[in-house]
Amino acid sequence: MSQGTAPAALITALDVDSQAAAVALARQTIPASPWVKVGLELFAAASPAVVSTLAGHGARVFLDLKFFDIPATVRAAVREAGRLGAAMTTLHALGGERMAAAALEGRHASGANTLLVAVTLLTSMTGQDLAWLTPHAPGHEAELVIHMARQAKAWGLDGVVCSPWEAAQVKAACGAGFKVVTPGIRPQDAGEDDQRRTATPAAAVAAGADFLVVGRPIRMAASPAAAAAAMVLEIQAAQDVK
Ligand code: C5P
């Protein structure tokens, strides 16, 4: 590992429909990595208290609700996410500078130091999915993502969510300290599911990802504990050769 580089962390996406299922899955994966992701499904199915419950089991909670609303609403939502104990949360870069500024105010009001990361282009999407909006999008995914990342950094956000395919370019454009969170992680022998811009854990680490979000490859494994542990080993091995 290069001097001064924090090791990349595995985040297990708890994409389940009850607090009991989330806690059961988290208890299996926390020994490998404390980071878990509470997304829209779990947040809608359980109460917001699922965040503190998971924290009580030793988890660092990434509350991935992908905020995208008027600045006043995002300010209040980020404030509440901080009060709940979220260690990291997301907002859409598409919300622009005023929404990002409101998110930073919300964090300040919460008194927490929740990492604020901007969602760029979902890893399930390609530029083709934006062709209805602009004919310039297909084939220009990386440019779009890098542009959003530069802006997010200029607005004072802590990092971005992007595909592993753009991670290296984001790091080059925004600097080593700007966090890169990459979903779309698939082991060598796994299918893509609905993801489109995927990479192996080793490739994501080599590209500079700080956080690797993994859902189905862990959740659907015969042993989520073993799958998470294997993934952490692959991350560490990739980090060592960096
Ligand atoms: O099952 P899988 O590994 O594809 O899960 C990826 C997780 O990361 C899901 O919870 C999904 O909502 C989330 N995510 C994503 N792409 C983004 C942001 C979040 O896939 N750009």
Side-chain angles (χ1 to χ4, degrees):
M1 196 199 318
S2 348
Q3 286 278 314
T5 313
L10 170 71
I11 304 179
T12 301
L14 304 177
D15 293 332
V16 293
D17 62 4
S18 73
Q19 176 165 307
V23 168
L25 180 55
R27 288 177 64 133
Q28 292 202 62
T29 61
I30 284 171
S33 170
W35 282 92
V36 297
K37 183 170 90 75
V38 173
L40 292 167
E41 178 186 5
L42 178 57
F43 197 76
S47 81
V50 69
V51 175
S52 49
T53 301
L54 288 163
H57 282 85
R60 300 268 293 150
V61 180
F62 171 23
L63 185 59
D64 181 26
L65 301 182
K66 301 185 177 68
F67 299 133
F68 187 17
D69 212 315
I70 60 171
T73 300
V74 170
R75 182 184 300 115
V78 170
R79 183 192 66 219
E80 294 311 313
R83 287 180 178 165
L84 278 172
M88 176 155 66
T89 196
T90 41
L91 60 154
H92 276 281
L94 278 176
E97 183 167 12
R98 286 171 53 231
M99 198 183 89
L104 290 163
E105 288 166 14
R107 172 171 68 185
H108 183 71
S110 76
N113 57 359
T114 314
L115 287 171
L116 288 175
V117 296
V119 175
T120 55
L121 186 62
L122 291 172
T123 43
S124 56
M125 295 174 73
T126 67
Q128 197 58 45
D129 293 296
L130 292 180
W132 63 273
L133 188 61
T134 162
H136 305 295
H140 296 274
E141 291 83 2
E143 280 167 62
L144 276 170
V145 171
I146 306 313
H147 180 65
M148 288 185 192
R150 283 186 196 278
Q151 295 301 311
K153 183 169 184 208
W155 299 334
L157 300 178
D158 300 303
V160 287
V161 184
C162 64
S163 118
W165 295 12
E166 295 101 30
Q169 283 172 276
V170 169
K171 282 286 182 184
C174 298
F178 191 66
K179 304 288 181 212
V180 170
V181 181
T182 60
I185 303 297
R186 290 293 179 270
Q188 196 73 61
D189 49 356
E192 282 194 315
D193 301 310
D194 57 350
Q195 299 285 14
R196 289 294 172 270
R197 293 175 299 122
T198 62
T200 61
V205 170
D210 298 288
F211 294 97
L212 282 68
V213 180
V214 182
R216 284 161 288 189
I218 291 178
R219 191 173 78 247
M220 315 292 261
S223 167
M231 216 156 280
V232 167
L233 281 180
E234 184 174 340
I235 290 170
Q236 283 167 352
Q239 199 94 51
D240 289 341
V241 297
K242 252 176 85 180

